[in-house]
Amino acid sequence: MDSILIFVVALLAATMRMATPLIFAGLGGVFSERSGVVNIGLEGMMTIGAFFAVWVTFKTGSPWIGLLGAIVAGAILSLLHAFLSITLKADQVISGTAINLFAAALCAFLIQTLFHKGGQTDSVATLPGLPNWLIDGLDKIPLIGKYLSDFIGGLNWFVVFALILVAASTFIIYKTPLGLRIRSVGEHPKAADTLGINVYTMRYLCVAISGALAGFGGAALSIGIAGIYSNGMVAGKGFIALAAMIFGNWKPKGTMLACLLFGFAEAFQIKAQGFGWNLPTEIYSSLPYVLTMLALSGLVGKTTPPRADGVPYEKGSR
């Protein structure tokens, strides 16, 4: 019985860690698409965030400054997507796809240029774990203390930040004037414009927020887990985050729950292989992507995007 509980606790902690990068990127997608801009480029913004988190950490020695570098890099790259899709009114899917290709190529080039290596950076410090006094304090709780301390000990600061940002995003979108403006330009931009809301400014702001959050998610992969950046390490997580956003019906809480489901599939893939089951590893590896296809196919239930999602706005048009 004790071994089963230990496995469950380890699986839950791994689920939280695996879901965290998806939660950041998924929240970014919520902000962008709530304002009416489809952001397929989350994958590329996670990629650029993962790289710059490592590079800034390498240069400064501080993973906290590296995290800031990832956020800024993701936001800057997102402004390119905003310029193409909002100002130039380019096809938003094509723009996002170009961002993904550009980010992957740029990071591969920068590894060669800045680290003089092929495919992988040098190792850097990762963000520290949660404080020992908290883990030790939980361990003293009768009966469940050991399991609680093991669970908390398996988490990191990125998990805490993700949960805080889910709560903050929910409050901003549904309880503040800013959130009302974001939803209005995503649902009926012409009416919002009539009321004096600058549609372009709101959409630029939300796309920049989405890039910053995606960069945060990339940092969670590099300086939160691995301590390095390697080509291909994002491995489709930006697209899984988009699927989670759709699965969650473009809502922060729903997106978080969907990310936890995808995170569980990835964590189960890692933990279940220790059982010695005679199943090909490809079956475990495919679980997150199978869930993604189910989400996108509509089998998880009806989802309703913002009415102006993906529609460029032309001021003064009828």
Side-chain angles (χ1 to χ4, degrees), residues 77-153:
L77 184 60
S78 72
L79 291 177
L80 175 60
H81 177 55
F83 177 72
L84 292 172
S85 59
I86 299 171
T87 302
L88 300 184
K89 298 176 178 57
D91 185 291
Q92 295 172 10
V93 174
I94 299 299
S95 172
T97 302
I99 292 290
N100 292 336
L101 296 173
F102 170 74
L106 176 63
C107 290
F109 170 76
L110 290 176
I111 290 174
Q112 291 279 0
T113 304
L114 300 176
F115 290 92
H116 307 291
K117 290 185 175 183
Q120 181 174 302
T121 66
D122 293 332
S123 297
V124 297
T126 58
L127 220 60
L130 298 179
N132 289 329
W133 61 262
L134 174 62
I135 298 170
D136 294 339
L138 291 172
D139 193 39
K140 296 176 183 177
I141 298 175
L143 299 178
I144 62 171
K146 177 181 182 300
Y147 306 111
L148 281 175
S149 64
D150 287 348
F151 174 71
I152 297 297

Side-chain angles (χ1 to χ4, degrees), residues 5-304:
L5 287 174
I6 290 173
F7 170 79
V8 170
V9 168
L11 179 62
L12 291 176
T15 296
M16 295 297 295
R17 290 196 307 272
M18 298 300 175
T20 294
L22 304 179
I23 292 173
F24 287 123
L27 289 176
V30 169
F31 274 98
S32 182
E33 301 212 7
R34 276 288 179 180
S35 73
V37 180
V38 173
N39 194 351
I40 299 294
L42 290 174
E43 176 88 1
M45 295 167 199
M46 288 185 75
T47 299
I48 211 80
F51 173 82
F52 275 95
V54 170
W55 182 67
V56 174
T57 300
F58 178 76
K59 298 298 287 186
T60 65
S62 170
W64 293 104
I65 301 177
L67 172 58
L68 180 60
I71 293 170
V72 172
I76 290 173
L77 184 60
S78 72
L79 291 177
L80 175 60
H81 177 55
F83 177 72
L84 292 172
S85 59
I86 299 171
T87 302
L88 300 184
K89 298 176 178 57
D91 185 291
Q92 295 172 10
V93 174
I94 299 299
S95 172
T97 302
I99 292 290
N100 292 336
L101 296 173
F102 170 74
L106 176 63
C107 290
F109 170 76
L110 290 176
I111 290 174
Q112 291 279 0
T113 304
L114 300 176
F115 290 92
H116 307 291
K117 290 185 175 183
Q120 181 174 302
T121 66
D122 293 332
S123 297
V124 297
T126 58
L127 220 60
L130 298 179
N132 289 329
W133 61 262
L134 174 62
I135 298 170
D136 294 339
L138 291 172
D139 193 39
K140 296 176 183 177
I141 298 175
L143 299 178
I144 62 171
K146 177 181 182 300
Y147 306 111
L148 281 175
S149 64
D150 287 348
F151 174 71
I152 297 297
L155 307 182
N156 57 32
W157 281 108
F158 282 103
V159 177
V160 177
F161 294 149
L163 296 177
I164 292 172
L165 284 172
V166 169
S169 299
T170 302
F171 179 78
I172 290 169
I173 291 174
Y174 295 106
K175 301 293 183 180
T176 67
L178 174 62
L180 181 59
R181 290 185 176 92
I182 291 171
R183 287 181 285 130
S184 66
V185 300
E187 291 289 342
H188 205 310
K190 294 179 183 178
D193 195 359
T194 302
L195 293 173
I197 299 171
N198 191 316
V199 175
Y200 299 128
T201 298
M202 293 306 303
R203 289 188 170 182
Y204 260 93
L205 173 63
C206 289
V207 173
I209 290 172
S210 76
L213 288 170
F216 209 140
L221 285 172
S222 57
I223 61 172
I225 298 176
I228 60 167
Y229 172 82
S230 59
N231 289 332
M233 75 178 301
V234 176
K237 288 180 173 59
F239 296 108
I240 294 176
L242 280 173
M245 178 198 66
I246 297 170
F247 203 159
N249 207 19
W250 288 267
K251 297 178 180 178
K253 289 181 181 178
T255 299
M256 179 192 70
L257 293 175
C259 289
L260 287 172
L261 178 60
F262 292 130
F264 173 80
E266 190 169 355
F268 186 78
Q269 162 201 335
I270 296 170
K271 298 294 182 181
Q273 292 182 46
F275 289 164
W277 293 348
N278 293 321
L279 292 175
T281 57
E282 290 79 8
I283 292 179
Y284 298 116
S285 301
S286 67
L287 282 176
Y289 303 99
V290 170
L291 288 175
T292 301
M293 289 187 289
L294 290 176
L296 294 175
S297 67
L299 293 180
V300 296
K302 184 179 179 181
T303 56
T304 306

